[in-house]
Amino acid sequence: MKYSTTLHTIIAVASLLILSYVQFFLLYNTYELKNDHYFFAEKSTITKEYLAAIRNDKVFPGGGAILDKYLIGHMQQLEELYNHDRAAFSRLGQQVCDSAFRDLRKANNLDSLLLAIMKRNGLDRKIRYASTIESVEIAFQRDRYIPLYQQNGSYPFIDPQIQTKAGIRIGGTLENLEANTMAQNLMVSSSMDHTYRISFSLYIDTYNRKQTILGQMMPTFLLSLLSVGGVVLLYFVTFRNWIKQKKLSEMKSDFINSITHEFHTPLSAIIVANRTMQNETIITNRESLLPLTEVVKRQAERLKTLIGQTLEITTMNKLSLQLEKRPVHHLLDELLLDYRLNATESNVTLTLQKNATRDVVLLDPFWFTTIILNIFDNAVKYNARENKEIVVTTFSDRRALHIAIADNGIGMTKEMRKHIFDKFYRGMSETRSRVKGLGLGLFYVNKAINSHRWKIDIRSVEGEGSVFTISIPYQNKNTSYEG
């Protein structure tokens, strides 16, 4: 189950990531599309009237006269330097451009022009703009242009504060000078001698471009989020139901395992007792026959109880205890007798030392028997010695009765003791790997101990043996138990 659940989770997470990536890609493309067409109608209106305002001008109304003053006014001087001293030509060309740019910035009237356009067309959105010049070229001969300034060039004699990646900033405060904010780019030239050519642009945008676009996309974004959330929720519900089905399947398997494990001991005892009673010597001896019939009776009652407890053994979530006041010494005498009779190995020695001065406690006889027999089974199975010994010792103090079950088996490491009560755990050793079993015995022991609210302590030395000590507190009549 662990592998399949992990693989299922990995596939689900990978699918969710792919779905999320596709959704993000679609949302991003939608954003870019809206960004490219944002403010399109208003921008078109502003651009149309801007072009009308500078039909016979450059950059802004009155800008052409300023450029003519500097470029046409220094045309002859620039031509002489170009023919005789290119370095001086470059320096003078930059200085002329710098002076022209400074005057253009001072005379910039685009603020009032754009405000008038907005009012005239009933546009109420607040806008920002930027006006830039990308290149300035002169021609001493018709159509043979020589650059004085070009965007992204190096010009030490032009004020660096007005130079940007988009060109020379003439006016405006807009920072995002990209293609999606460009309203118009123009190149103005004349096909004649001693003239110039200039390229300039107008950028327009609103103050809250991103917020407005995201607001427009909010329904799409919410729908996408809901769809992803719906997929996650559907996966969670499906996965939870799948886990429940897996648990139900496990419970069925546990049920079969539990029956095999728990029914084996009483059935074996009945079979052995029956076989012994068929012996002619035993049949004629009433005193020998009577204990055997008692064994059959007790084990048959245990089988009957087991059938009634099958559901609780399967789920093991809550035990219904039938508490009775019983003398533990008497119960242990019966258990050891039954176990000796059922033991298939003759080299098992069982010893009971009754040191407790007070042995009557509240317990469920069925589950008490389950606890002791499962500890016995483990003591015998995990014992590689030729002579196997189990010593049961009772002792008491003012608060509790204690039952210590010691064996001379293979013992346990610290790591094994941490997991010894885990379901299906059987440890990792050569001896344990040879022993047949399901790893359920001590799991049941721990469940029954916890249901009684008793305590169990384990002391073990690897290679020497283990001691399981069960502490049963003396209880008053008002004490309540829940499994």
Side-chain angles (χ1 to χ4, degrees):
M1 175 183 173
K2 185 176 181 181
Y3 172 77
S4 60
T5 303
T6 302
L7 181 62
H8 182 88
T9 304
I10 291 173
I11 294 173
V13 170
S15 301
L16 179 62
L17 290 175
I18 293 172
L19 176 62
S20 299
Y21 173 78
V22 171
Q23 292 283 356
F24 172 79
F25 181 76
L26 292 174
L27 287 172
Y28 177 77
N29 283 348
T30 302
Y31 175 85
E32 288 298 315
L33 183 63
K34 286 183 175 293
N35 192 30
D36 289 340
H37 293 82
Y38 176 75
F39 199 50
F40 188 79
E42 295 92 334
K43 188 188 296 183
S44 177
T45 300
I46 294 171
T47 301
K48 183 178 179 180
E49 297 216 11
Y50 168 73
L51 291 175
I54 62 166
R55 181 174 291 112
N56 297 313
D57 224 318
K58 302 175 183 73
V59 186
F60 55 82
I66 297 174
L67 290 168
D68 290 346
K69 171 185 173 183
Y70 288 97
L71 296 175
I72 300 298
H74 292 82
M75 186 67 67
Q76 185 177 356
Q77 186 179 2
L78 287 168
E79 184 178 12
E80 291 177 359
L81 290 176
Y82 181 78
N83 293 327
H84 300 96
D85 189 345
R86 295 292 177 89
F89 166 78
S90 176
R91 183 169 56 254
L92 178 61
Q94 293 181 52
Q95 291 172 346
V96 168
C97 287
D98 183 65
S99 299
F101 295 154
R102 287 177 183 274
D103 280 5
L104 286 172
R105 287 171 60 85
K106 290 178 182 179
N108 175 39
N109 56 17
L110 282 175
D111 294 87
S112 56
L113 174 64
L114 294 176
L115 182 60
I117 293 173
M118 296 285 288
K119 286 183 177 180
R120 187 162 53 250
N121 292 275
L123 306 177
D124 56 357
R125 282 210 263 184
K126 294 182 179 180
I127 66 168
R128 290 185 294 178
Y129 80 94
S131 175
T132 62
I133 294 178
E134 287 78 36
S135 65
V136 177
E137 300 169 294
I138 60 173
F140 304 124
Q141 296 179 10
R142 181 177 179 178
D143 297 331
R144 298 181 64 180
Y145 288 99
I146 303 165
L148 295 182
Y149 167 81
Q150 286 186 323
Q151 179 184 0
N152 296 326
S154 177
Y155 301 98
F157 296 99
I158 298 177
D159 185 359
Q161 293 184 356
I162 64 174
Q163 296 186 52
T164 68
K165 291 181 179 181
I168 300 297
R169 181 183 287 270
I170 300 302
T173 59
L174 181 64
E175 296 296 332
N176 179 28
L177 306 184
E178 303 293 342
N180 55 22
T181 61
M182 181 181 288
Q184 188 65 55
N185 173 256
L186 294 172
M187 179 173 284
V188 180
S189 63
S190 299
S191 182
M192 55 186 295
D193 295 339
H194 297 96
T195 187
Y196 66 91
R197 180 169 65 187
I198 182 170
S199 174
F200 58 94
S201 299
L202 177 66
Y203 297 85
I204 302 174
D205 201 2
T206 60
Y207 277 86
N208 54 348
R209 180 189 188 91
K210 290 184 178 180
Q211 292 84 342
T212 304
I213 295 175
L214 291 175
Q216 294 172 352
M217 289 183 59
M218 191 56 65
T220 306
F221 176 76
L222 290 177
L223 186 61
S224 176
L225 191 63
L226 286 173
S227 65
V228 174
V231 171
V232 173
L233 180 62
L234 182 62
Y235 163 76
F236 175 76
V237 173
T238 304
F239 184 75
R240 186 179 61 179
N241 291 337
W242 180 55
I243 292 296
K244 287 182 179 179
Q245 293 299 321
K246 297 269 290 176
K247 286 184 178 179
L248 288 174
S249 177
E250 282 188 337
M251 286 172 62
K252 292 178 182 178
S253 299
D254 288 350
F255 177 74
I256 297 172
N257 294 337
S258 300
I259 290 177
T260 303
H261 183 85
E262 293 294 334
F263 282 23
H264 178 76
T265 300
L267 281 173
S268 297
I270 291 173
I271 291 170
V272 172
N274 180 65
R275 186 181 299 120
T276 304
M277 286 190 294
Q278 291 175 351
N279 188 295
E280 293 182 0
T281 304
I282 298 298
I283 292 175
T284 58
N285 188 341
R286 181 178 177 80
E287 293 182 359
S288 299
L289 187 62
L290 189 59
L292 292 174
T293 60
E294 289 295 323
V295 169
V296 172
K297 179 182 177 182
R298 284 196 300 271
Q299 296 304 324
E301 288 293 330
R302 178 167 174 77
L303 275 175
K304 181 180 178 181
T305 306
L306 275 170
I307 292 171
Q309 296 283 348
T310 50
L311 182 59
E312 293 172 324
I313 293 175
T314 303
T315 59
M316 293 305 292
N317 290 326
K318 185 176 181 180
L319 306 182
S320 297
L321 301 180
Q322 303 296 323
L323 295 175
E324 303 174 14
K325 278 192 174 183
R326 288 290 190 93
V328 170
H329 288 164
H330 179 69
L331 288 174
L332 290 174
D333 282 332
E334 293 181 346
L335 280 169
L336 266 65
L337 174 63
D338 293 353
Y339 200 82
R340 290 191 188 99
L341 182 63
N342 187 46
T344 56
E345 300 182 49
S346 59
N347 57 344
V348 178
T349 302
L350 273 170
T351 306
L352 175 59
Q353 298 177 357
K354 304 174 184 178
N355 298 330
T357 58
R358 180 183 172 189
D359 72 322
V360 178
V361 292
L362 278 172
L363 52 77
D364 182 309
F366 170 80
W367 287 110
F368 178 79
T369 302
T370 299
I371 293 169
I372 302 301
L373 290 180
N374 277 311
I375 295 176
F376 284 179
D377 286 344
N378 276 273
V380 173
K381 286 192 297 184
Y382 299 109
N383 194 324
R385 297 179 187 271
E386 185 176 347
N387 296 313
K388 303 174 182 180
E389 298 179 359
I390 301 176
V391 179
V392 182
T393 305
T394 67
F395 57 96
S396 58
D397 54 30
R398 189 178 64 179
R399 295 183 177 180
L401 168 68
H402 307 280
I403 305 172
I405 304 173
D407 64 64
N408 62 342
I410 62 175
M412 293 177 283
T413 63
K414 290 183 178 180
E415 184 64 24
M416 289 179 184
R417 289 201 297 274
K418 291 179 182 178
H419 303 284
I420 197 65
F421 294 125
D422 291 351
K423 198 174 188 180
F424 305 121
Y425 180 78
R426 300 182 63 233
M428 297 296 293
S429 69
E430 184 179 350
T431 303
R432 292 178 185 275
S433 64
R434 292 198 302 266
V435 175
K436 294 182 179 180
L438 301 169
L440 293 171
L442 292 181
F443 171 73
Y444 297 151
V445 167
N446 189 51
K447 263 300 186 182
I449 290 288
N450 291 336
S451 296
H452 279 87
R453 295 184 182 175
W454 297 346
K455 293 183 179 179
I456 185 168
D457 176 68
I458 302 175
R459 289 183 291 110
S460 184
V461 178
E462 191 174 9
E464 296 183 12
S466 305
V467 180
F468 289 76
T469 302
I470 302 168
S471 299
I472 307 174
Y474 296 120
Q475 302 289 342
N476 56 47
K477 293 182 179 180
N478 297 324
T479 301
S480 62
Y481 287 75
E482 291 182 0

